[in-house]
Amino acid sequence: MKISIGNDHAGLDYKQAIITFLEAKGFEVVNHGTNFIESVDYPDFGHKVALDVENRNSKYGIVICGSGNGIAMTANKHKEIRCAVCWTKEIATLARQHNDANVLSIPARFTSINQAVEMVEAFLNTSFEGGRHKTRVDKISC
C-alpha cells in the first residue's frame, strides 16, 4: 500500500520517524515534505499529499505541521479529502471508524514522536464502520 506524507519545517523529525516505521511495515512512502528545518509554507506540501489521495495515487495521506490545523485546512480544500487533526491514537481510530478519514494530520508541537507513530499505526489499522456513519460522511462534501 502506498502512503503519501508531507510536512513543513515543524514536522521534519516526525516525518522521518514515521517513514522509518512505515517502510519497516512494508508500506511504500511518497515523501512530499521538506527535508530541511528552514521555514517553509505548509500548503505547498499539504496540496501534494491531498492530490495523491484524491487521484488515488496513494491510499492514505499523512500531513504534519506545528498545530496540525493549517495543513489539514489545506488538504480539506480538496473535494475527496477527509483530513482529521489528531493528537491521540484514540482520536485517530475514531477518525477512521466514524469519519472515514483518508488523511491524518499531526500537530508536531503538541504531540511526541512516539505518539505520532502510534497515531499512524492506529489510523492505518482501523477500518471505516459504515452504517449510520456512511450517511453522515456522504453529507460532508459540497
Side-chain angles (χ1 to χ4, degrees), residues 72-133:
M73 290 176 188
T74 299
N76 279 321
K77 294 296 180 186
H78 295 259
K79 186 175 181 180
E80 299 298 319
I81 299 303
R82 290 171 306 282
C83 181
V85 180
C86 299
W87 53 95
T88 68
K89 64 183 178 181
E90 293 81 10
I91 294 171
T93 298
L94 286 173
R96 287 285 309 123
Q97 284 178 339
H98 292 189
N99 309 117
D100 198 18
N102 52 12
V103 178
L104 169 64
S105 181
I106 298 172
R109 294 194 177 116
F110 298 93
T111 60
S112 70
I113 290 175
N114 288 339
Q115 285 174 304
V117 170
E118 287 178 350
M119 286 188 279
V120 168
E121 184 171 33
F123 188 85
L124 296 176
N125 288 329
T126 303
S127 297
F128 179 50
E129 287 183 354
R132 71 182 192 275
H133 302 296

Side-chain angles (χ1 to χ4, degrees), residues 6-97:
N7 61 288
D8 70 2
H9 51 280
L12 179 59
D13 293 340
Y14 288 69
K15 176 191 69 178
Q16 291 170 335
I18 291 167
I19 288 174
T20 298
F21 168 79
L22 290 172
E23 289 179 343
K25 297 285 185 181
F27 292 98
E28 180 182 348
V29 181
V30 179
N31 178 6
H32 289 298
T34 185
N35 293 312
F36 304 101
I37 59 170
E38 289 77 32
S39 182
V40 294
D41 298 331
Y42 57 79
D44 297 338
F45 310 102
H47 283 303
K48 290 177 182 179
V49 171
L51 284 170
D52 274 358
V53 176
E54 188 172 44
N55 293 328
R56 292 176 173 70
N57 294 323
S58 291
K59 174 95 173 157
Y60 297 111
I62 301 166
V63 292
I64 313 159
C65 73
S67 70
N69 285 315
I71 204 161
M73 290 176 188
T74 299
N76 279 321
K77 294 296 180 186
H78 295 259
K79 186 175 181 180
E80 299 298 319
I81 299 303
R82 290 171 306 282
C83 181
V85 180
C86 299
W87 53 95
T88 68
K89 64 183 178 181
E90 293 81 10
I91 294 171
T93 298
L94 286 173
R96 287 285 309 123
Q97 284 178 339

